[in-house]
Amino acid sequence: MTDSSEFLWYIPNDVTAGHRGDSATVNHNSLETLTEHARALEDHGWKGALIGTGWGRPDTFTVAAALTARTATFEPLIAIRPGYWRPANFASAAATLDHLSSGRVRVNIVSGQDNLAAYGDSEGDQAHRYARTKEFMRLVRRLWTEENVTAAGEHFSVEGSTVQPRIAERAGRRHPKLYFGGASEAAEKVAATEADVQLFWGEPLDGVKERIERLKALSRDLDRDLAPLEFGLRITTLVRDTREEAWADAEKKVAEMAAGQGGNWQDHRRTVAVGQRRLLELHERGDVLDDNLYTAPGKFGGGGAGTTWLVGSAEDVAASLRKYEALGITHFVLSDTPYLGEIRRQGDKLLPLLRR
C-alpha cells in the first residue's frame, strides 16, 4: 500500500443490540462503550471511523463530538443527511467541531431514503433528491471557504453568511473532506462534480474498475472544478489466523444468518437503492468472486457493507485490498463483528501488512 492510503473502521451507533451480528449488550450505545471503541482505534493503528446515520438511532453528530472530545487523534467520518440539516447550520457545527478537534472532522453525505416525515423533512423523486444534495454540498463548501456568502438556489438560500470559526488550512486541507456514495446515474453526477471521495460498497474488482473509469470521465464531461475525485471502499473484512479458520467462521456466520440467529437488523432494504441492488445480485454470479469476495451474506440479510465480505488470513485480505488500491482506491473503511475485538485483531494483524 502507498503512504497516501488511509484506513478507517466503523462504529455502530444504533439502539438495536445485535446490529450486524454484534454481541447484544445492555450498554451497547453508552458513551463508555463507544469511547472504548474509539480509543481502541487509536491504540491499534486506525485513522478513525465512520459513524452512520438514520432516524431512530442516536444522533451521529452528537456521538462524533463526544468521541472526539474523549480522544486525541481519532477522526470521525460523520454521516449526515441534507434535509435533516440545513447547509448553514451544518457548516457552522462542523466548522466548530473541526476547530475544537484541530482538524479531525470528515463528513459522509448520505442521500438514501429515510423516515423523513419523522423529523419534518420531505423530498420528491430521485432527481429532486440528488439535485438537493448537489446544492447542499456546493453551498457547504462555499461557507467553509468563503465569507459573506449569498446564494439563492432551488432548495437552499443564505444571505451575507459567514461561518465562525473559520476553518484553518492544514497541510493543504482547506476543509473537511466530503465523502459520498451512490451508484445511480443521478448519484454519480453529484459525485463527479461535488464529492471529494466517492465510496463504493464491496463490489468485485471489475465492477469497481468500471465505476472509477466512468466517474473520471463524468468529472471531465461535467467540468469538475475541484481537485481530482478520490475513491474509497466500504467493506466487511473477516480475518483469522489461517485461511481455513476464516472460511469456517464465515460459513458459520452465514448459516446463523440463514437460520435467523445472526442479528439480521439492517437498514438497506426499506427501499433498495441502485448500489445495494448491485450487491444483492452478486451472489447470482457465485458465492465467491475474485479471490475471496464472499457474496452469500447478501442472500440472508446482509445489507450495505455487510452484503459482501473479504474472507481469509490477514495475508489473503491484504492481498485483495492491494488489488483495489491498484485500481485507485485510497480510502478504506473496514469492519467486522464483534466490532471491538476486530478493531484490535485487524489493527494488529492486517494493518501492518497494508503499510509495508
Side-chain angles (χ1 to χ4, degrees):
M1 290 285 185
T2 66
D3 291 339
S4 62
S5 291
E6 297 183 334
F7 302 93
L8 288 84
W9 192 253
Y10 172 75
I11 288 182
N13 60 319
D14 191 83
V15 296
T16 305
H19 179 42
R20 294 189 182 174
D22 202 5
S23 302
T25 58
V26 174
N27 63 343
H28 181 77
N29 292 301
S30 70
L31 181 56
E32 288 70 26
T33 296
L34 296 175
T35 299
E36 187 178 13
H37 285 219
R39 288 178 175 167
L41 288 164
E42 290 184 319
D43 293 341
H44 293 270
W46 301 92
K47 192 79 170 176
L50 169 65
I51 306 174
T53 188
W55 188 253
R57 63 202 293 179
D59 177 74
T60 309
F61 199 93
T62 305
V63 171
L67 296 183
T68 302
R70 287 194 161 202
T71 53
T73 62
F74 169 78
E75 298 188 12
L77 175 51
I78 308 169
I80 65 106
R81 292 177 181 273
Y84 182 93
W85 290 88
R86 295 188 65 80
N89 302 114
F90 176 72
S92 176
T96 300
L97 184 56
D98 199 66
H99 167 72
L100 294 174
S101 66
S102 300
R104 287 193 268 153
V105 171
R106 300 165 184 245
V107 178
N108 181 29
I109 305 292
V110 178
S111 289
Q113 296 187 12
D114 194 18
N115 187 4
L116 306 180
Y119 51 88
D121 189 24
S122 63
E123 56 188 22
D125 59 14
Q126 185 189 69
H128 177 277
R129 180 156 44 99
Y130 282 106
R132 184 172 76 160
T133 297
K134 176 182 174 70
E135 196 173 294
F136 182 94
M137 294 170 75
R138 175 69 44 149
L139 183 50
V140 165
R141 186 180 277 106
R142 285 192 63 193
L143 290 164
W144 281 340
T145 58
E146 302 175 23
E147 299 184 21
N148 196 34
V149 175
T150 294
E154 180 181 352
H155 307 281
F156 304 108
S157 62
V158 296
E159 184 173 347
S161 183
T162 300
V163 166
Q164 295 289 353
R166 303 304 297 162
I167 292 178
E169 184 169 333
R170 302 172 188 274
R173 171 192 181 268
R174 296 186 65 199
H175 58 73
K177 284 188 174 180
L178 296 178
Y179 292 65
F180 185 70
S184 68
E185 181 179 355
E188 289 191 338
K189 287 181 178 178
V190 173
T193 56
E194 306 302 328
D196 296 310
V197 180
Q198 165 74 29
L199 279 177
F200 303 121
W201 296 122
E203 294 190 36
L205 292 162
D206 58 359
V208 171
K209 181 176 185 291
E210 174 194 6
R211 293 192 61 199
I212 288 175
E213 291 173 349
R214 184 164 64 250
L215 283 161
K216 286 182 175 180
L218 271 175
S219 294
R220 294 190 297 269
D221 294 344
L222 298 176
D223 296 323
R224 178 182 173 91
D225 58 1
L226 304 172
L229 182 62
E230 299 172 31
F231 303 101
L233 181 70
R234 170 73 184 101
I235 192 169
T236 294
T237 44
L238 194 153
V239 175
R240 298 293 185 268
D241 290 339
T242 67
R243 180 179 305 167
E244 293 75 18
E245 182 184 356
W247 279 106
D249 282 0
E251 291 169 358
K252 179 180 177 182
K253 278 192 172 188
V254 168
E256 290 174 350
M257 292 168 65
Q261 300 171 2
N264 286 341
W265 183 96
Q266 53 84 22
D267 55 359
H268 293 275
R269 287 184 187 271
R270 294 169 188 162
T271 300
V272 180
V274 172
Q276 180 64 70
R277 187 180 306 116
R278 286 169 65 103
L279 290 188
L280 292 172
E281 292 173 351
L282 286 175
H283 69 81
E284 297 174 4
R285 293 169 51 182
D287 279 352
V288 181
L289 303 178
D290 294 337
D291 297 320
N292 55 341
L293 184 67
Y294 195 30
T295 69
K299 294 189 287 188
F300 303 110
T307 312
T308 57
W309 308 344
L310 285 176
V311 178
S313 66
E315 291 77 11
D316 292 337
V317 173
S320 294
L321 292 174
R322 288 192 197 98
K323 291 179 181 179
Y324 284 102
E325 188 193 41
L327 298 178
I329 301 292
T330 54
H331 299 259
F332 294 86
V333 184
L334 312 179
S335 68
D336 191 21
T337 57
Y339 292 104
L340 183 57
E342 290 305 312
I343 286 171
R344 295 165 176 155
R345 183 208 301 266
Q346 297 192 32
D348 294 346
K349 295 182 179 295
L350 178 62
L351 290 188
L353 298 177
L354 298 173
R355 294 199 171 103
R356 287 180 179 172

